[in-house]
Amino acid sequence: MRSCGALVTGLAFAVASGSAAQAPTFTRADTLRGSNTPERAWWDAAFYDLHVRVNPADSSIVGRNTITYRILRPAREMQIDLQQPLVVDSIVQDGAELSVRREGNVLFVRLLSVQRVGARKSVSVYYRGKPTVALRAPWDGGFVWARDSLGNDWIATANQGLGASVWWPNKDIYSDEPDSQRVAITVPDPIVNVSNGRLRGTRRNGDGTTTYEWFVTSPINNYNVAVNAGRYAHFSDVLQGEKGRLTLDYWPLEYNLDTARKQFQQTKPVLRCFETWFGPYPWYADGFKLVETPHLGMEHQSAIAYGNHYLNGYRGRDRSETGRGLEWDFIIVHEAAHEWWGNNVTMSDAADMWIHESFADYAEGLYTECQQGKRAGAEYIIGKRAGISNDRPIVGLYGLNYEGSGDMYNKGGNILHTIRQLVNDDGRWRRVLRGINSTFARQAVSGKQIEEYMSRNTRLDLSKVFDQYLRTTMVPVLEYRIEGSTLSYRWANVVPGFDMPVKVTLSPGTFRFIQPIESWLTSPIRLERPEDFRVDPNFYVLSRDILTPAPDSTAGASASR
Ligand SMILES: [Zn+2]
């Protein structure tokens, strides 16, 4: 999702934390946006047929979306989301114009035709206006009206969090994706529009504009549907992947063509690595694309927004501070990971956004491992602990479109890295990651479903691990003392019943598992000097020698800022 996980902690988060310090307050608008209301629950989106004309001259759009849906339950009123200040011209079903009751960003449409359960029907929403302008895309959301360095129009949309209804009418909830979608975008010549899926046709309209008709054959998150319009060049490549021939299409600005040809060579090894760990790329039919955008990036399905300035790292910086992250382009790696985590397996509620971001963050470490070796991958993930704030839980609030802490990135990656240590079997770990992608392919799921799948398939009861790390801000502390050849240990700062095993040095030079609980246990230990005792730094925990209350006796796995 937000490509930028990184910055979310800095930017968007600064906004959220002000209100998060006190209890956040929610309104009916939050419930209408974030929950499966009765006016949403009765219909299932089957196809969005979206047509939008984009006018950079006055930053306006005019368009229509014909929504084809399956009727699950009888109903007379339909909720369609369309954010202000966009206005509706008309809503039409079966040739009749329907009346609409507007409540803020929501349209409650009064249906005239009988909605027969099991049937499919369509309704067309005609609309226009000047959509919200994104000033800090991709962190705020809306339309980006930019110019390239030659002064050509360069337009993009980014609306994760804020919602796709900022520029087109739809059921703006994560849990309902259409089975397929047309995205037909009209832009003034000579700029070219690149959206999701494959280009089915271009039509010159004879009025100085051209319509680019893109089509996505797979279910797609509404926030992934995007306009990207500019003076693009185009080049292609092919990856022989797990499921055969995968087309790779690249759309850099014309004047960045040579630079892009070089930088985008990184794509193939990234996709190969992720296919190994996560299973086949999910969208062979729709292809893989990178499209240069004026904003940093976003995981727009089969048309990833790329704005990392052809630099390695995150805008040229390594977010792990280990140097490992300077060997690859953050936006290519992080956003490509979202094709599995977020686009293929989608959260059903924003509260569970860790399904997208924790796994995408973890994928950065896995790519580092594919490229530079297992130790380097671990170093990268451990290095990112410095970015953990433990300000509030990773899981947000349900039914309100309310995300949890930005810790869903750095901490989330470290939770998964810790679980991998518990599994202690890379073959099984890989089968679990691939299994999530095949079991929940093209589905919207809850965090609980992922947690239960992981417990079942790692053959470990991870419930307390998830409770601790996802739903509290406490970092487990291994309290210990060494007296002669006896190690005493217990968990502190943990949820009741927390019993996660952890590896420590019971003898010089090797890590072995112990199984601490909240009360003291003992184990034989063979160390020449008690100060040689270590906790395996791959575990995201703290440790404290209670006989030596030094100011900082944390193990290498410290969570210090
Ligand atoms: Zn992300």
Side-chain angles (χ1 to χ4, degrees):
M1 229 8 354
R2 204 159 285 158
S3 58
C4 352
L7 287 203
V8 167
T9 3
L11 292 171
F13 194 65
V15 178
S17 59
S19 54
Q22 306 94 37
T25 52
F26 296 102
T27 63
R28 175 170 155 81
D30 296 311
T31 299
L32 289 179
R33 169 75 171 85
S35 69
N36 197 20
T37 63
E39 293 78 13
R40 278 173 168 167
W42 66 267
W43 62 280
D44 175 25
F47 179 59
Y48 288 137
D49 191 3
L50 178 64
H51 298 254
V52 180
R53 175 178 283 257
V54 175
N55 307 309
D58 65 354
S59 307
S60 72
I61 61 175
V62 55
R64 74 167 193 276
N65 185 20
T66 298
I67 301 171
T68 301
Y69 58 94
R70 284 178 286 268
I71 299 160
L72 308 175
R73 288 197 278 282
R76 297 308 299 270
E77 205 169 48
M78 181 178 201
Q79 176 177 340
I80 299 174
D81 303 86
L82 181 67
Q83 294 182 29
Q84 299 167 317
L86 296 175
V87 296
V88 172
D89 289 331
S90 63
I91 300 180
V92 177
Q93 180 165 67
D94 299 334
E97 187 167 340
L98 304 179
S99 65
V100 58
R101 177 169 64 83
R102 183 153 197 165
E103 186 177 338
N105 294 326
V106 172
L107 312 171
F108 288 107
V109 182
R110 199 77 191 154
L111 299 163
L112 298 174
S113 311
V114 174
Q115 308 289 312
R116 194 166 47 78
V117 173
R120 278 164 77 107
K121 287 192 76 69
S122 295
V123 61
S124 295
V125 182
Y126 296 81
Y127 71 105
R128 68 179 61 238
K130 295 186 176 183
T132 298
V133 174
L135 300 174
R136 295 184 300 111
W139 295 286
D140 50 358
F143 252 82
V144 182
W145 305 98
R147 289 185 184 276
D148 68 19
S149 61
L150 300 179
N152 302 298
D153 281 313
W154 192 16
I155 305 162
T157 57
N159 44 248
Q160 187 191 10
L162 181 61
S165 57
V166 73
W167 70 275
W168 59 282
N170 64 90
K171 187 198 280 193
D172 205 349
I173 188 171
Y174 297 106
S175 54
D176 192 5
E177 299 182 358
D179 308 334
S180 60
Q181 176 154 0
R182 187 183 348 253
V183 190
I185 305 293
T186 301
V187 292
D189 300 327
I191 60 174
V192 170
N193 178 73
V194 183
S195 291
N196 318 75
R198 294 199 186 271
L199 186 63
R200 284 221 170 149
T202 59
R203 190 179 65 245
R204 295 205 165 271
N205 298 309
D207 60 355
T209 68
T210 300
T211 301
Y212 297 85
E213 184 200 339
W214 294 83
F215 199 96
V216 187
T217 61
S218 319
I220 181 169
N221 300 335
N222 57 9
Y223 74 84
N224 272 315
V225 175
V227 170
N228 305 287
R231 289 288 296 255
Y232 289 127
H234 174 221
F235 64 100
S236 318
D237 201 349
V238 171
L239 173 76
Q240 288 302 330
E242 284 196 15
K243 279 173 76 175
R245 192 172 175 277
L246 172 63
T247 57
L248 313 176
D249 286 276
Y250 303 105
W251 297 84
L253 290 178
E254 280 175 353
Y255 54 74
N256 285 330
L257 177 59
D258 292 340
T259 320
R261 279 188 189 280
K262 238 179 121 211
Q263 188 76 357
F264 291 169
Q265 284 175 12
Q266 295 191 30
T267 302
K268 279 187 180 179
V270 170
L271 294 178
R272 278 200 195 96
C273 173
F274 289 167
E275 284 207 322
T276 300
W277 279 101
F278 306 146
Y281 176 76
W283 323 112
Y284 273 71
D286 292 330
F288 176 90
K289 290 196 289 298
L290 292 174
V291 190
E292 188 173 357
T293 52
H295 61 84
L296 178 62
M298 184 63 74
E299 64 263 30
H300 295 149
Q301 185 172 313
S302 65
I304 288 171
Y306 176 87
N308 203 29
H309 304 287
Y310 306 99
L311 296 170
N312 278 358
Y314 182 96
R315 292 173 154 156
R317 257 198 58 214
D318 176 14
R319 303 200 60 249
S320 78
E321 308 281 353
T322 61
R324 300 296 185 181
L326 291 176
E327 300 298 315
W328 42 267
D329 186 313
F330 180 94
I331 291 297
I332 296 175
V333 171
H334 181 93
E335 306 308 340
H338 277 308
E339 294 285 21
W340 286 264
W341 305 103
N343 298 349
N344 186 41
V345 183
T346 304
M347 60 186 178
S348 52
D349 189 297
D352 287 325
M353 193 177 272
W354 68 276
I355 298 171
H356 299 200
E357 298 303 349
S358 298
F359 285 92
D361 186 279
Y362 179 65
E364 298 162 23
L366 281 182
Y367 184 63
T368 306
E369 175 173 333
C370 285
Q371 189 192 46
Q372 302 168 49
K374 191 167 179 178
R375 193 173 146 186
E379 276 175 22
Y380 177 85
I381 292 172
I382 293 169
K384 288 180 84 178
R385 286 181 194 161
I388 299 173
S389 52
N390 280 312
D391 53 345
R392 58 194 182 97
I394 285 177
V395 170
L397 300 174
Y398 293 90
L400 295 162
N401 193 38
Y402 188 75
E403 301 166 14
S405 167
D407 281 347
M408 70 179 81
Y409 296 86
N410 299 320
K411 183 176 170 183
N414 271 282
I415 296 168
L416 294 168
H417 185 64
T418 300
I419 293 174
R420 180 184 184 176
Q421 314 310 312
L422 299 174
V423 173
N424 203 26
D425 174 345
D426 283 353
R428 179 182 301 278
W429 180 234
R430 179 169 159 254
R431 287 195 296 279
V432 168
L433 298 176
R434 292 175 66 104
I436 294 172
N437 272 282
S438 55
T439 304
F440 303 111
R442 303 170 180 220
Q443 292 179 33
V445 297
S446 68
K448 278 286 182 194
Q449 284 176 277
I450 299 298
E451 293 171 33
E452 284 162 14
Y453 181 92
M454 291 180 73
S455 279
R456 203 161 50 245
N457 291 280
T458 58
R459 300 182 187 170
L460 300 168
D461 180 359
L462 297 170
S463 56
K464 296 293 177 188
V465 174
F466 287 123
D467 283 348
Q468 172 85 20
Y469 286 108
L470 293 178
R471 284 177 274 277
T472 85
T473 59
M474 298 185 294
V475 182
V477 179
L478 183 73
E479 291 188 336
Y480 67 93
R481 61 174 186 267
I482 297 169
E483 291 157 311
S485 58
T486 302
L487 170 72
S488 305
Y489 53 87
R490 71 171 180 188
W491 283 124
N493 205 36
V494 291
V495 297
F498 187 79
D499 58 356
M500 184 178 84
V502 64
K503 279 183 178 173
V504 299
T505 46
L506 294 178
S507 55
T510 57
F511 288 114
R512 284 187 199 289
F513 272 113
I514 55 171
Q515 306 240 345
I517 54 175
E518 290 161 273
S519 19
W520 288 100
L521 298 175
T522 60
S523 168
I525 189 166
R526 236 174 9 86
L527 287 183
E528 307 233 323
R529 305 177 313 154
E531 55 270 34
D532 292 338
F533 179 81
R534 293 285 178 275
V535 175
D536 183 344
N538 288 301
F539 289 77
Y540 176 55
V541 299
L542 301 173
S543 64
R544 189 156 64 88
D545 178 354
I546 62 163
L547 295 179
T548 323
D552 179 19
S553 58
T554 56
S558 111
S560 59
R561 308 284 156 96

